[in-house]
Amino acid sequence: VGPRPEVREWVERCPEQFNVTLRVRPGLTDPASIVFRNEQVLLAGFDDPEGAYQNLVLPAKLELSTQYLNSRTLRSDLVVLWATFCAIVGLPPPWSHIDASALLQARRDRLDAEGRR
């Protein structure tokens, strides 16, 4: 359990965003992997999927991973493993209340408020 490794191209484009996640051993699953398991469907709704990934999806995934790493325990790792199993077999994961679309909208609203979008 740990943050999924990102494609080298993204790490090289914005290395400062990966300060926390690159310090730990990568894993096969983490909360961000589960919440954004259908990211291709989300990105299909954008005119510029690459820009949406860089400015919305990637920061949201890194924020989830950082939050997880900052409070990580054996119990939380077991919850992630259970959530992964649930996602694979089609059951609602333990944190199914976390909606990827809502996270992206909140990020979009924050960027708009800062005048950066």
Side-chain angles (χ1 to χ4, degrees):
V1 176
R4 297 273 304 143
E6 187 55 66
V7 176
R8 180 182 305 262
E9 173 188 348
W10 289 107
V11 176
E12 290 172 353
R13 279 190 196 186
C14 33
E16 67 285 346
Q17 291 182 318
F18 293 91
N19 286 339
V20 174
T21 58
L22 288 177
R23 289 187 204 145
V24 297
R25 189 175 181 172
L28 297 175
T29 187
D30 72 329
S33 300
I34 297 165
V35 171
F36 285 96
R37 66 188 174 278
N38 297 319
E39 75 181 36
Q40 68 279 6
V41 174
L42 290 170
L43 291 171
F46 289 95
D47 293 335
D48 177 15
E50 188 173 302
Y53 186 79
Q54 181 175 356
N55 297 314
L56 299 173
V57 174
L58 183 58
K61 287 170 65 174
L62 288 170
E63 187 174 326
L64 282 171
S65 293
T66 300
Q67 289 171 0
Y68 178 73
L69 290 171
N70 288 337
S71 61
R72 184 179 190 184
T73 64
L74 175 59
R75 182 182 183 282
S76 65
D77 281 355
L78 293 173
V79 170
V80 170
L81 290 172
W82 175 249
T84 301
F85 172 79
C86 290
I88 290 170
V89 299
L91 298 172
W95 53 78
S96 57
H97 64 283
I98 301 175
D99 177 52
S101 296
L103 289 174
L104 296 183
Q105 186 59 49
R107 173 98 178 126
R108 190 182 290 163
D109 293 345
R110 201 171 341 155
L111 289 173
D112 286 344
E114 295 170 1
R116 294 193 306 169
R117 199 182 103 174

